[in-house]
Amino acid sequence: MNTTSHLPLSIQVTKKIEDDIILGRLMPGTKLDEQELCDRYNVSRTPIREALKLLAADGLVEIRPRRGAIVPTIQPIVLCEMFEVMAELEGMCGRLAARRINFDEKNELIALHKSCEKFLFNNDSEGYYEENKNFHFAIYHASHNSFLIEQASSLHKRLHPYRRLQLRVHNRMNHSYSEHEALLNAIIDGEELLAEKLLKEHVVIQGEKFTDLISSLNTLISS
C-alpha cells in the first residue's frame, strides 16, 4: 500500500518521475520533453514544470538553458561514495544529538518513531519514508550544529529518491524500524559513540539495500 493521492499533484508526478529515472525507464541522457511527460503521466504542463524544478534541485534532472531538461548520468560508484559521506555526516549528527538533545527534542523523536510504526503496520512505504525522513532531520537538528545540519540536510536531499525507493526491498521497513528503535534509545540515553555507530551502520545498510533493489528490478512491482 503506497498512498500518494493526498499529496499535491506536482509531488505525485515528482515521485513517479523519480521512480522512472531510478528504475531505468527514463535512461541517463534522455531529454525530458514536457508534452511527452504530460502524455505519460496524464497531467497538464504546470505540475510537470514544477516537478522538473524539484527534481533539478535534488540533482536527478539537469535543466539546461535553451535545451530543456535531461536525465543526467549518475555512476554507481558516485552513488556509493555519496552514501559513504552521508553515513559519516549522520554518524556525527547522532553523536552530537546524544550529547545535546533537549527534552522537547526527545519527545519529538519518540513521537516520530511511533508515527513510523503506523505506516509500517499498514505496509505504506511512501508514508513510512516521509516520517522516516522527519526522524532523521530531527536528529540533525538535535545536534545543534548549524553547519552540520546544513550539510547533512543538503546531501540527504540529494539522496532522498534512492533512500525512499530502497524501502521497497523485501522486509526493509521492518529492519529500518528496528534500527531506529536502537538508535532512539542510544540518543535518549546519551550513548554518544553507540548512537554514532548505529546511525553510520543504518545509512550504509541503505546503500547496500539499494544495490539489492537494483539487482531485483525485474521482480519489483512498482506503484
Side-chain angles (χ1 to χ4, degrees):
M1 177 181 176
N2 293 298
T3 305
T4 60
S5 59
H6 66 287
L7 298 173
L9 185 57
S10 60
I11 301 300
Q12 294 181 46
V13 174
T14 299
K15 291 178 181 295
K16 290 177 181 178
I17 298 176
E18 279 179 3
D19 284 358
D20 284 347
I21 291 173
I22 296 170
L23 295 176
R25 299 190 189 104
L26 293 172
M27 298 296 290
T30 300
K31 187 177 187 304
L32 299 174
D33 180 80
E34 288 186 6
Q35 187 55 54
E36 290 179 2
L37 294 175
C38 290
D39 296 339
R40 184 185 186 98
Y41 303 112
N42 195 30
V43 295
S44 66
R45 284 181 181 265
T46 298
I48 290 295
R49 288 170 179 166
E50 292 173 354
L52 291 177
K53 288 179 182 178
L54 291 172
L55 291 165
D58 289 343
L60 275 187
V61 165
E62 289 182 5
I63 299 179
R64 301 178 177 180
R66 297 181 298 279
R67 294 180 60 187
I70 67 166
V71 180
T73 300
I74 301 177
Q75 299 297 331
I77 185 63
V78 175
L79 190 60
C80 289
E81 289 171 349
M82 292 168 72
F83 269 108
E84 285 181 347
V85 174
M86 188 80 259
E88 293 298 323
L89 289 176
E90 292 217 23
M92 188 181 298
C93 287
R95 174 167 54 82
L96 292 178
R99 182 190 307 172
R100 299 172 176 174
I101 193 169
N102 62 40
F103 180 78
D104 290 338
E105 290 167 341
K106 285 182 181 180
N107 286 336
E108 179 187 9
L109 206 57
I110 292 170
L112 288 169
H113 182 57
K114 289 181 178 178
S115 182
C116 283
E117 184 178 26
K118 176 183 65 177
F119 294 109
L120 174 65
F121 180 78
N122 291 325
N123 195 31
D124 182 353
S125 65
E126 291 295 334
Y128 182 92
Y129 172 73
E130 292 301 325
E131 210 66 339
N132 165 78
K133 180 176 67 176
N134 292 334
F135 181 86
H136 281 264
F137 273 71
I139 294 174
Y140 302 168
H141 286 281
S143 74
H144 294 275
N145 182 311
S146 58
F147 183 76
L148 179 59
I149 294 168
E150 178 185 354
Q151 296 303 308
S153 300
S154 177
L155 187 52
H156 191 291
K157 186 177 182 181
R158 182 69 176 82
L159 285 172
H160 87 85
Y162 303 95
R163 296 178 73 149
R164 178 173 72 85
L165 205 55
Q166 58 86 31
L167 288 172
R168 299 184 190 179
V169 172
H170 178 66
N171 213 31
R172 178 57 197 149
M173 276 196 294
N174 286 291
H175 289 306
S176 173
Y177 185 81
S178 296
E179 291 158 14
H180 280 190
E181 181 88 30
L183 174 60
L184 175 65
N185 290 333
I187 290 175
I188 289 177
D189 293 341
E191 297 286 347
E192 298 177 27
L193 295 181
L194 179 58
E196 181 177 31
K197 175 178 179 291
L198 291 174
L199 198 41
K200 280 185 180 181
E201 291 174 349
H202 178 64
V203 176
V204 170
I205 285 173
Q206 289 178 324
E208 293 170 349
K209 289 302 180 181
F210 177 70
T211 301
D212 292 343
L213 175 62
I214 295 301
S215 299
S216 61
L217 286 183
N218 289 333
T219 58
L220 180 68
I221 299 176
S222 60
S223 59

